[in-house]
Amino acid sequence: MTQFNRSLLTIAISSLFISTVQAATPTTGVAAEKTQDSAIETIEVTGRRNQPNTEVSLATEKLLAIAGIDNDPLNSVYSMPGVVYAGGDNGGEPAIRGSSPDDNGFYIDDLPVDYIFHLFGDSIFNENLVRDFSLHPAAFNSQFGNATGGIFDVQLRDPRNQDIQVIADASLLKTGVMVEGGVTENQAFYFSYRRSLMHLFLEEGEEDEGYTIFKAPVSDDYQGKYQWLIGDTHKLTFTIAGASDTGGLNISAASESGRADPDVIGDLKIDTSFDSQSLSWQYFGDSGKIMQVIAGHSSSEATESYGRGQFIKVEEDKYNLRAHYQVNWFDNHTLIVGADIEDATIDYSFDAIPYYCTDHQADCQSQKGDRIQDEDELSSLTTAIYLNDKWQFGENWLLELGLRAERNDYTEQSFVHQRIALNWYATKDLTLSLKQGSHSRFPDVETVLRKVGNPKLKQPKAQHYAISAAYQIDDIWHTSLDVYYKDLGDLPRALEENDINYDLHYSNDMSGTARGIEWVIERELADDWYGWASISWSKSDRTDEKINQTTDYYLDTPLLGNLVANYKYNEKWDFGIRLTVRSGQKYTPIVALRTNPDYPDNFLPVYGKLNSKTLPTYHRLDLQANYNTQYWGYDAQWSFAILNALNSDNYSGYYYAPDGTETIDNYKIEGEEGLGIFPSIGLKMTF
């Protein structure tokens, strides 16, 4: 029910808007000295093991340069094979290789987080701070937990010890400022703040087809670091981060939503926010020894109010403690051992009409319950220990074995997950890899709450299998081929009135599979240009084990192609292009109307076979040009972009669109269009 109202606000406001890895490695300093008595040059090598990682990785620089992403490194994930939007162009999180967006795990500087995307799909990170961004789409190693889809591993860079510098940037979508510099010889900091500008394009108080914006959507975010390099082997880092989203929309009886479901008539308002703090200590010793201890705290709040006095309020406090130790041992072995503790407390209250539904049911309206109130607390303690051993045997083999043992006291479940990765360096240019791993995650919170959920619901689990081949064609071209299979189990199924134990609302009688093949070819920077192209085939489904029926998953996207290229014309100008083409996702057609049992003068749609239809093919072309210059002696960069340059009609679904004249036999179905052609301009200056 939370996702329903969040999606409703996103779709409604978007429609109005459209109509209007680099690891820490020591570096070396060289000092040369000539004696008076000899011409022999003496080389003195100095260095520190706790060298700060202040520079963006080459891979992340390429991601930041992708056209049409507004320099958002996480939005670049949609240019990778096997990754699709779960909510269309107007918002939603990424779905990885046929898994649900809720199956993903997110880490910032080695700490798990829940909130990394704003309401409209852009990430919470300033482009100037992301050092490395990695996507692990399957069979990730034992350091990561609580995910059955993919892992987003974000590493923010360390502060630069330099004279104080300020970077200011603004575009049609957002504006921001960042300050960075040294405090002492061994201490430095940075702080960034950004705020969206979408509210400037959406006028408050004017009605449009039954909708009136009374609070234009606003999002903001911040990140900051203070780092102290202690001696040559210790690093102490304090990090803060936070974000918020807010928006409000009045839905009248004359609107499409109000006619379709009178329960939503009234003011719809969403406020979400989070704040986090963490302290990290790292030690870099001899023989590859690295020790890290991180303590973190985060608090988040989400409030949704809608209809006639309905509301949902959730407040969460989370404490994390992670310890990690790495050492080179025996011959050709690197051992990593670690432990995770997460203590979460969720205080929630609501007065709402629940809809007992999952993402694999077509008609949530038929799963409507009676209005209910509750106020309670959910406490969850998750503990885990893990080990990972990398063994280089022979000249051509690398074996990685991992185990992760974890337990959650709320679900009262324990798991021992194995993770295996074998690499064979068949030739100097060809590498073959095999990966396998088991995974689990905490259930969706709304499915395990007392009164509206089943507190005894099991945790969803998955088995991942992947085979890949990577080939270096020549000095600048390389290619890879990946084949994967996922076996998903203990997924939630919403119970219907004729089901046994209907009062539990949910059971674990759903399973699924996802399989596919992905091919990528990439060109490194040479002759002033670089780029990559990918194409993938996939198939994902879900099985209702109560009735033994298998149907396509709504995110099933058989064919997906991406093309990305960047060209540096001269010192002033560079250009980028991104093209995405993919099969339309599945949807369930509306085949008739029925009388709303709660509002006899209104109608509800009747749905056909689940996910039996396919949306039109999606295609989107983004273009971008960057111009580097100076103003008053300060570096500046202009960015000019055209999003969806071909103005393609990309539909994310079809919905019942009542206009007040409909009858049981006469009704209108409309498509939910994505972003139309949209020009954007931005300016970034460094002071």
Side-chain angles (χ1 to χ4, degrees), residues 163-407:
D163 293 337
I164 298 295
Q165 184 180 76
V166 177
I167 298 177
D169 59 88
S171 69
L172 294 179
L173 299 178
K174 65 173 68 75
T175 186
V177 63
M178 173 183 165
V179 59
E180 177 178 24
V183 178
T184 68
E185 182 180 353
N186 295 312
Q187 299 180 44
F189 79 100
Y190 61 62
F191 181 80
S192 163
Y193 175 78
R194 303 187 308 168
R195 184 177 176 86
S196 68
L197 299 177
M198 186 175 294
H199 62 284
L200 301 179
F201 297 92
L202 299 173
E203 188 170 352
E204 297 179 351
E206 288 195 2
E207 182 183 359
D208 187 351
E209 297 183 350
Y211 298 101
T212 304
I213 296 176
F214 66 85
K215 175 62 177 176
V218 175
S219 64
D220 61 6
D221 53 62
Y222 68 88
Q223 295 99 41
K225 269 191 181 185
Y226 191 100
Q227 189 170 85
W228 180 18
L229 304 180
I230 307 172
D232 294 332
T233 57
H234 297 270
K235 183 188 292 187
L236 192 66
T237 308
F238 177 65
T239 304
I240 57 174
S244 69
D245 290 274
T246 185
L249 184 75
N250 178 266
I251 302 173
S252 74
S255 68
E256 290 178 350
S257 299
R259 293 190 184 102
D261 182 8
D263 288 326
V264 304
I265 294 174
D267 287 343
L268 167 62
K269 187 177 182 181
I270 295 181
D271 289 289
T272 63
S273 64
F274 98 98
D275 298 278
S276 67
Q277 311 85 36
S278 68
L279 184 65
S280 168
W281 167 74
Q282 292 174 290
Y283 167 74
F284 304 88
D286 297 326
S287 303
K289 292 180 182 177
I290 300 176
M291 182 179 293
Q292 182 178 33
V293 178
I294 311 174
H297 166 259
S298 65
S299 59
S300 62
E301 182 175 336
T303 303
E304 304 176 11
S305 57
Y306 54 97
R308 297 175 177 88
Q310 297 188 66
F311 74 91
I312 304 168
K313 184 175 183 178
V314 180
E315 296 177 332
E316 181 177 14
D317 258 316
K318 186 183 296 184
Y319 294 88
N320 289 89
L321 180 64
R322 302 194 82 200
H324 168 105
Y325 179 71
Q326 174 181 311
V327 64
N328 296 331
W329 69 316
F330 296 113
D331 290 331
N332 304 320
H333 284 266
T334 299
L335 177 68
I336 299 173
V337 295
D340 297 345
I341 301 175
E342 179 176 283
D343 186 8
T345 301
I346 301 175
D347 292 303
Y348 64 90
S349 59
F350 60 83
D351 179 351
I353 300 172
Y355 292 84
Y356 305 109
C357 195
T358 69
D359 63 5
H360 199 63
Q361 290 177 275
D363 188 3
C364 284
Q365 288 285 346
S366 65
Q367 298 289 99
K368 181 179 178 180
D370 296 326
R371 186 163 177 170
I372 190 172
Q373 300 80 34
D374 197 14
E375 182 176 353
D376 206 345
E377 177 183 282
L378 185 157
S379 296
S380 171
L381 178 65
T382 302
T383 55
I385 56 174
Y386 62 86
L387 62 88
N388 202 79
D389 179 58
K390 292 182 179 180
W391 177 25
Q392 180 80 49
F393 63 97
E395 295 183 355
N396 303 319
W397 296 89
L398 176 63
L399 177 63
E400 187 172 348
L401 296 174
L403 284 176
R404 183 180 180 89
E406 57 188 24
R407 176 173 177 78

Side-chain angles (χ1 to χ4, degrees), residues 78-81 532-535 560-564 578-581:
Y78 299 108
S79 301
M80 298 179 181
W532 66 86
S534 67
I535 187 169
L560 171 61
N562 289 293
L563 173 66
V564 174
R578 177 177 66 161
L579 175 65
T580 297
V581 180

Side-chain angles (χ1 to χ4, degrees), residues 17 20 70-71 122 169-176 195-202 217 219 638-643 677-684:
F17 175 57
T20 61
D70 197 30
N71 296 315
D122 56 318
D169 59 88
S171 69
L172 294 179
L173 299 178
K174 65 173 68 75
T175 186
R195 184 177 176 86
S196 68
L197 299 177
M198 186 175 294
H199 62 284
L200 301 179
F201 297 92
L202 299 173
S219 64
W638 287 95
S639 296
F640 308 92
I642 302 178
L643 311 184
I677 186 170
F678 184 80
S680 178
I681 184 172
L683 173 64
K684 179 169 70 174

